Amino acid sequence: LLELRRKGYALVGVEQTHTSVELDKWQFAEKTVILLGAEKEGIDADLLPLLDGCVEIPQQGQLRSLNVHVAGSVIMWEYVRQARSRSPASTAAT
């Protein structure tokens, strides 16, 4: 992770923490590493201090958990959506 940061990447975890930002309020940097945790344990607590921030997917109800592959898909969709909105080519196609 530290090597990727040295190369200019932002490090973003997908995790529910007391400082997590809801996904719809997060602005991804163009060069971003998205870190997903284990299915039930989440991201290792030793890695959290290395991250530039954590995002969480807003949910309603008492169940506040998604399978890691579902969460990863949702996060990647938002990352790509933001990247496309920054790209002049995406606005020319519409």
Side-chain angles (χ1 to χ4, degrees):
L1 289 176
L2 295 177
E3 177 62 27
L4 290 167
R5 174 175 281 132
R6 281 191 286 275
K7 292 181 178 182
Y9 286 86
L11 307 177
V12 179
V14 181
E15 187 66 81
Q16 295 171 341
T17 70
H18 65 283
T19 60
S20 293
V21 176
E22 290 188 354
L23 179 59
D24 58 335
K25 294 174 177 59
W26 184 267
Q27 282 298 123
F28 285 100
E30 187 174 335
K31 291 173 64 174
T32 298
V33 171
I34 298 171
L35 183 64
L36 301 168
E39 193 75 37
K40 292 185 180 171
E41 295 80 22
I43 296 172
D44 189 288
D46 293 338
L47 296 177
L48 292 175
L50 303 177
L51 304 177
D52 296 306
C54 286
V55 296
E56 64 178 83
I57 300 167
Q59 300 175 61
Q60 285 187 271
Q62 293 186 337
L63 184 63
R64 294 186 39 90
S65 179
L66 295 171
N67 291 347
V68 70
H69 72 278
V70 172
S73 297
V74 171
I75 298 294
M76 289 303 301
W77 179 87
E78 178 60 17
Y79 173 83
V80 170
R81 187 195 68 75
Q82 288 183 23
R84 291 182 69 194
S85 71
R86 287 190 296 263
S87 169
S90 68
T91 56
T94 56

